[in-house]
Amino acid sequence: MRIGIVGSGEIGATMARLLTAAGHDVTLANRRGPEALAGLVTELGGHARAGTVAEACAFADPLLVLATPFGAYPSLPPAALAGKVVVDTTNYMPLRDGLHPDLESGRTTSSELIAAHLPDARVVKAVNTLNYKYLLDLGRPGAPHDERTALFVAGDDPEATTLVVRLLDELGFAPVRTGPLGAGGRRQEPGTPVFNRPLRPAQVRLTP
C-alpha cells in the first residue's frame, strides 16, 4: 500500500519503520517540514520519502496514519482525505491538548471528534494503546495468533476496519476488534485495562 503518515514522533517513526520493513511505501510529514525528516527517511531507505502534510494525505492510497498529538487534528485537510482510511493513533491528554468539555463529560470520544472533522474519511482507532518500544519490539510476523501481542481496533466502517486488522496482522500483531468508534474507542483509552499492557489475546479483558 501507499501509506501517508502525519506525525514523526515516537509512534509515527515506529510505524514508518514497521511499514517500510513490510514493503509498504510511506510518505512522512510533520509540522516542521520535509527537511526535518531527512535523517529518518535516509534511515528507512527506498520505501520512504518526506513531504508536507498535504502531500502525505494525497499520497495515502488508501490509508493515512495520524500520529500527532490529539490536539493537532484540526490541521488535517478534510477534502484531501475524503474516502480514505485514517488510522487514529492519538490519545487525549488534557494537560497537553487543553480541556475539551465534551470529552471531559464523556459525551463523545476523541476519535469521534476527529471523524466529525473528517466527515468523508473512514476513521479507525488503532495503535494507540502501546508504548512505541513495545510496538517496535513485539511484532511477530508468522507466529501463531495466540502467541502474538494484541492491538486493538475500533471503527464504524466494516471495510476500513478489516483493512486495518489485516495490516496489523501483517505487521505481526494480534488485532482485537473492540467495537464501533465510540464504544470501542472508549475501551482503548488511557486508564482502561488494556492500555499500555502487552497482552496476549487470551489475556484481554475489555470493559463493558
Side-chain angles (χ1 to χ4, degrees):
M1 284 189 287
R2 288 158 48 101
I3 298 175
I5 302 176
V6 175
S8 61
E10 293 170 344
I11 296 296
T14 297
M15 287 299 293
R17 291 184 174 98
L18 295 175
L19 291 165
T20 54
H24 298 283
D25 294 321
V26 305
T27 292
L28 282 151
N30 65 18
R31 60 182 173 80
R32 294 172 307 218
E35 298 80 9
L37 295 165
L40 178 58
V41 167
T42 298
E43 173 198 333
L44 294 172
H47 284 293
R49 65 182 290 270
T52 64
V53 171
E55 287 170 337
C57 293
F59 180 83
D61 184 19
L63 188 145
L64 180 114
V65 176
L66 175 60
T68 64
F70 163 74
Y73 80 86
S75 65
L76 289 174
L81 292 170
K84 300 188 180 185
V85 177
V86 175
V87 180
D88 172 23
T89 76
T90 71
N91 289 303
Y92 168 54
M93 302 291 183
L95 292 179
R96 179 195 64 195
D97 300 317
L99 288 175
H100 288 252
D102 286 345
L103 299 180
E104 294 293 319
S105 68
R107 284 192 292 270
T108 189
T109 64
S110 58
S111 293
E112 288 175 298
L113 287 181
I114 292 171
H117 176 69
L118 304 172
D120 297 316
R122 297 177 289 169
V123 176
V124 178
K125 184 78 166 184
V127 199
N128 72 300
T129 56
L130 286 185
N131 181 277
Y132 77 100
K133 294 179 181 178
Y134 288 139
L135 288 172
L136 198 58
D137 295 339
L138 296 181
R140 298 184 61 196
H145 187 271
D146 59 359
E147 295 178 9
R148 298 181 181 195
T149 299
L151 282 181
F152 304 94
V153 183
D156 294 335
D157 184 293
E159 183 181 19
T161 304
T162 296
L163 178 68
V164 176
V165 163
R166 289 176 177 168
L167 180 61
L168 297 181
D169 179 78
E170 179 188 354
L171 297 181
F173 295 93
V176 176
R177 298 178 191 245
T178 60
L181 198 59
R186 290 187 199 281
R187 297 184 177 109
Q188 298 170 212
E189 290 178 343
T192 61
V194 302
F195 193 79
N196 207 29
R197 296 182 63 200
L199 301 169
R200 297 282 190 264
Q203 297 174 304
V204 172
R205 299 290 183 271
L206 297 173
T207 53

